[in-house]
Amino acid sequence: KKSTERKGAAAVEFAVVSLILFLFLFGILEYARFLFIYHLTNNAARDAARFAAVRTGGGTLSGEPANVTAADVETVLRTGIFNSQQYGTGMNGLEHNIQGMTVNVFGVDPNLFNPTDITSAYAAANRRAWTSTAFGEKIAVEVTGTYQPILPNLLGMNSGFPFNVIIVCASEAN
């Protein structure tokens, strides 16, 4: 008689435990996905900053245009390609995970010595044209937007999180 009374208990216990287990599992997967997108964006922004740092005066290779624009730097960030040349990995088509993604390329005030002071709140008045930076001055590539989780309602998460990456590179202007 005891075995028939406990028959459904295992199913109920599994249902309760599996709910908590799957919430943790989905939370871990979403956090790993966030870290992947953040790392990918960091690498793409680093490639774009390096590209900008060596092209403040325009194209450096034969066949490149005389003027390289901020849109060209953004293209390198998104695709890793400029003028049919590979300069990095880009975002590998995953930029759709950052809603409203904007890319800013700017020269940093040479009197600003601490890179942690360069934030998204960095005053627009302090931003200079990146093409006018002198040798050794800093060029920043900033990516902002809103990270979109896959299952925000299931995990009780917000529908989006502020996303901000700033990479600074020293200009190699001639």
Side-chain angles (χ1 to χ4, degrees), residues 40-55 68-81 87-91 103-106 130 139-143 167-169:
L40 182 70
T41 306
N42 261 305
N43 285 342
R46 189 176 301 112
D47 293 339
R50 173 75 179 130
F51 175 82
V54 299
R55 286 172 177 75
V68 176
T69 66
D72 296 329
V73 175
E74 182 173 349
T75 299
V76 170
L77 182 129
R78 289 179 183 267
T79 66
I81 298 171
Y87 290 98
T89 59
M91 293 288 293
V103 178
N104 297 309
V105 184
F106 56 92
W130 67 276
I139 295 175
V141 173
E142 175 188 43
V143 180
I167 300 294
V168 179
C169 192

Side-chain angles (χ1 to χ4, degrees), residues 11-116:
V12 171
E13 290 169 0
F14 175 75
V16 171
V17 170
S18 65
L19 178 66
I20 295 168
L21 174 72
F22 285 121
L23 280 175
F24 275 119
L25 180 65
F26 285 131
I28 290 168
L29 290 174
E30 188 62 56
Y31 185 65
R33 184 175 163 268
F34 169 78
L35 289 177
F36 173 72
I37 297 299
Y38 185 75
H39 180 71
L40 182 70
T41 306
N42 261 305
N43 285 342
R46 189 176 301 112
D47 293 339
R50 173 75 179 130
F51 175 82
V54 299
R55 286 172 177 75
T56 55
T60 56
L61 300 175
S62 64
E64 287 187 347
N67 293 321
V68 176
T69 66
D72 296 329
V73 175
E74 182 173 349
T75 299
V76 170
L77 182 129
R78 289 179 183 267
T79 66
I81 298 171
F82 172 71
N83 202 31
S84 301
Q85 293 284 339
Q86 189 79 32
Y87 290 98
T89 59
M91 293 288 293
N92 291 321
L94 294 174
E95 59 268 18
H96 67 275
N97 290 292
I98 307 169
Q99 296 297 315
M101 185 171 102
T102 59
V103 178
N104 297 309
V105 184
F106 56 92
V108 178
D109 182 353
N111 297 319
L112 187 66
F113 293 109
N114 188 354
T116 58

